[in-house]
Amino acid sequence: MLAGSVGLTAMLCFLCFGVFWLAVPSNPAETDNAAFIFTVIPAPTLTATPEGYLTPTPTQALVSADGIAVGAYVQIFGTEGQGLRLRSGPSTDFPPLFLGLEAEVFKVEDGPKLGNTYTWWYLVAPYDKTRSGWAASTYLSLVEAPTDVP
Amino acid sequence: MNDVRPVQIRANKSERILGIEWSDGHSSRYPFELLRAGCPCASCRGGHENMRAEPDEEVFSVKLGDVPETRLRKIEAVGAYAVSVEWEDGHHYGIYNWHYLRALCPCEACRQK
Ligand SMILES: [Zn+2]
Ligand SMILES: [Zn+2]
């Protein structure tokens, strides 16, 4: 009888511990490529300035971005052979400078800037600095830095 | 120190502090002022040719106070290697990668390195 209840307690403990242990690693998996907990605590509304500078921020903002950043290399993809217009400014309001080719690789040198709902990056071709302009991130994918860049 | 990455990032707009818990157990507390002074974007750092992977020493002594430039509007993860910050004055070009952020840690131990 005593041995039975000890056994039961031990089993319950093991179960609880086991469940807890299983629950812990499943959390980061939800965040996928952002493998850390990211929290924004809004300022109390009382401290807002009269012009109301506070914008509502979700308390937990997990953003999976495409990983593009200044200094990274990107490749034009998904244009179905049409290429991508590189423009003189970060929006489709700016005139195109030239057509980037599908699969062409560029170095990201500025950005991101928001313009007509796209995120824009300033790209420069590693072999020809004159091939440079702003491109929408929709048709860019991150690639490894070319090994033979000067 | 190359593989050190945050396990937790907490932006507290009421304390005006960005807190980061690192994978090596270190914890950093960045006043928003410091984050803005140390904005790693090309225009804040005087052009691409002046950009290093670590912050300039001056940023630790800049005092900006509680002004729109140092009020954080938005902070977002950029992939799994950086955060981007938008300030109340509209400036949003800074992408703070883990290496840069760790080098920006203002704690005494890190500053003595
Ligand atoms: Zn900046
Ligand atoms: Zn430190």
Side-chain angles (χ1 to χ4, degrees), chain A residues 43-117:
Chain A
T45 36
L46 283 173
T47 65
T49 54
E51 62 269 30
Y53 68 84
L54 285 173
T55 38
T57 319
T59 46
Q60 188 115 26
L62 288 163
V63 185
S64 59
D66 45 20
I68 298 173
V70 170
Y73 285 83
V74 292
Q75 186 172 38
I76 295 175
F77 91 117
T79 67
E80 290 174 313
Q82 307 245 315
L84 176 67
R85 285 182 196 83
L86 272 75
R87 298 176 180 274
S88 63
S91 134
T92 50
D93 299 338
F94 290 92
L97 298 172
F98 67 97
L99 194 65
L101 310 171
E102 175 83 23
E104 193 174 358
V105 171
F106 291 89
K107 187 172 186 190
V108 181
E109 294 217 341
D110 203 354
K113 293 193 184 188
L114 266 184
N116 339 85
T117 73

Side-chain angles (χ1 to χ4, degrees), chain B residues 4-113:
Chain B
V4 180
R5 51 190 172 72
V7 289
Q8 180 162 153
I9 298 178
R10 185 180 282 257
N12 191 323
K13 291 187 182 179
S14 110
E15 290 179 14
R16 299 170 42 75
I17 295 270
L18 180 80
I20 297 185
E21 305 297 324
W22 297 94
S23 56
D24 65 349
H26 193 70
S27 63
S28 303
R29 285 170 63 82
Y30 307 90
F32 286 177
E33 272 187 272
L34 171 64
L35 273 189
R36 180 56 194 267
C39 177
C41 86
S43 64
C44 290
R45 304 194 76 192
H48 292 286
E49 62 282 2
N50 296 324
M51 287 169 78
R52 291 182 305 122
E54 289 84 30
D56 299 321
E57 205 50 44
E58 305 91 81
V59 304
F60 294 99
S61 47
V62 175
K63 290 276 169 280
L64 295 169
D66 185 4
V67 290
E69 284 82 353
T70 63
R71 285 183 208 132
L72 186 139
R73 178 184 287 161
K74 214 164 80 184
I75 179 162
E76 284 181 341
V78 179
Y81 70 96
V83 289
S84 78
V85 176
E86 182 178 337
W87 302 97
E88 285 298 330
D89 67 336
H91 192 78
H92 64 275
Y93 306 125
I95 293 182
Y96 301 72
N97 65 32
W98 306 152
H99 176 84
Y100 186 87
L101 274 174
R102 183 56 181 259
L104 191 65
C105 178
C107 85
E108 229 167 279
C110 291
R111 293 280 33 90
Q112 263 148 34
K113 273 179 204 159

